[in-house]
């Protein structure tokens, strides 16, 4: 059960950072720019191939998300500035990646809720994932533990 929760957590983060729903949104950057930046990011490198430095950057990104984001009106909000990323030692282009991904994720949740008639509650999902991350997923990711893959 714990293993499934960890996999769900990683899946959620991947969806949050990588998924595109082909929706129209007022993104910080264009879809093309997002895809270009994503190729440069540590987010698409498999856990087993990340260097220690890349792993630490990956965890810093997740820390920023988990420590600062919250759900409001069934949308995930990240109220930090580009400067905050730099202060945390994260290249500023990750600000654009996360902001774009959040917009796409929020658009997807809204689309799913309209199409399926089943309400996806971003608040409860995000709260659960934050708890799991803080309860052990973070440490596992830092150690490159296969348990998290």
């Amino acid at each position: 059960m714990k293993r499934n929760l960890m996999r769900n957590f990683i899946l959620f983060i991947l969806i949050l950072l990588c998924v595109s729903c082909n929706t129209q949104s007022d993104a910080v950057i264009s879809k093309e720019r997002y895809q270009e930046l994503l190729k440069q990011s540590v987010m698409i490198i498999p856990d087993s191939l990340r260097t220690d430095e890349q792993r630490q950057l990956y965890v810093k990104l997740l820390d920023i998300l988990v420590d600062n984001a919250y759900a409001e009106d069934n949308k995930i909000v990240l109220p930090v500035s580009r400067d905050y990323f730099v202060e945390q030692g994260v290249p500023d282009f990750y600000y654009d990646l996360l902001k774009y991904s959040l917009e796409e994720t929020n658009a997807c949740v809204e689309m799913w809720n309209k199409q399926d008639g089943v309400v996806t509650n971003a608040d409860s999902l995000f709260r659960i994932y934050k708890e799991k991350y803080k309860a052990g997923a973070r440490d596992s990711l830092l150690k490159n533990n296969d348990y998290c893959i």
Side-chain angles (χ1 to χ4, degrees), residues 42-54:
V42 298
M43 304 311 290
I44 62 169
I45 300 170
D47 292 346
S48 61
L49 298 179
R50 283 191 194 115
T51 65
D52 286 340
E53 184 178 296
Q54 291 168 329

Side-chain angles (χ1 to χ4, degrees), residues 124-139:
S124 63
L125 284 174
F126 196 57
R127 186 176 57 250
I128 290 167
Y129 291 124
K130 286 172 85 165
E131 290 169 3
K132 297 303 174 192
Y133 181 74
K134 290 179 179 180
R138 181 185 190 280
D139 294 335

Side-chain angles (χ1 to χ4, degrees), residues 103-118:
E103 288 183 17
E104 287 294 303
T105 299
N106 289 333
C108 287
V109 168
E110 185 176 330
M111 181 182 68
W112 294 330
N113 287 340
K114 286 180 182 176
Q115 288 180 351
D116 298 336
V118 176

Side-chain angles (χ1 to χ4, degrees), residues 26-111:
D26 298 324
V28 176
I29 56 176
S30 69
K31 185 175 184 173
E32 292 77 21
R33 178 70 178 142
Y34 168 76
Q35 291 170 343
E36 182 181 309
L37 291 174
L38 191 59
K39 290 176 187 173
Q40 301 171 33
S41 84
V42 298
M43 304 311 290
I44 62 169
I45 300 170
D47 292 346
S48 61
L49 298 179
R50 283 191 194 115
T51 65
D52 286 340
E53 184 178 296
Q54 291 168 329
R55 190 178 304 95
Q56 289 173 3
L57 177 57
Y58 178 76
V59 170
K60 278 185 190 180
L61 286 166
L62 294 177
D63 285 346
I64 289 171
L65 184 65
V66 168
D67 293 341
N68 297 286
Y70 61 90
E72 181 178 272
D73 297 328
N74 213 27
K75 295 185 185 311
I76 299 173
V77 180
L78 183 63
V80 297
S81 68
R82 182 182 306 277
D83 291 338
Y84 180 79
F85 277 68
V86 175
E87 290 167 9
Q88 300 303 310
V90 175
D92 67 344
F93 78 88
Y94 283 101
Y95 172 85
D96 293 328
L97 283 173
L98 279 178
K99 285 294 193 173
Y100 183 92
S101 295
L102 284 172
E103 288 183 17
E104 287 294 303
T105 299
N106 289 333
C108 287
V109 168
E110 185 176 330
M111 181 182 68

Side-chain angles (χ1 to χ4, degrees), residues 3 59 141:
R3 182 179 208 126
V59 170
L141 286 168

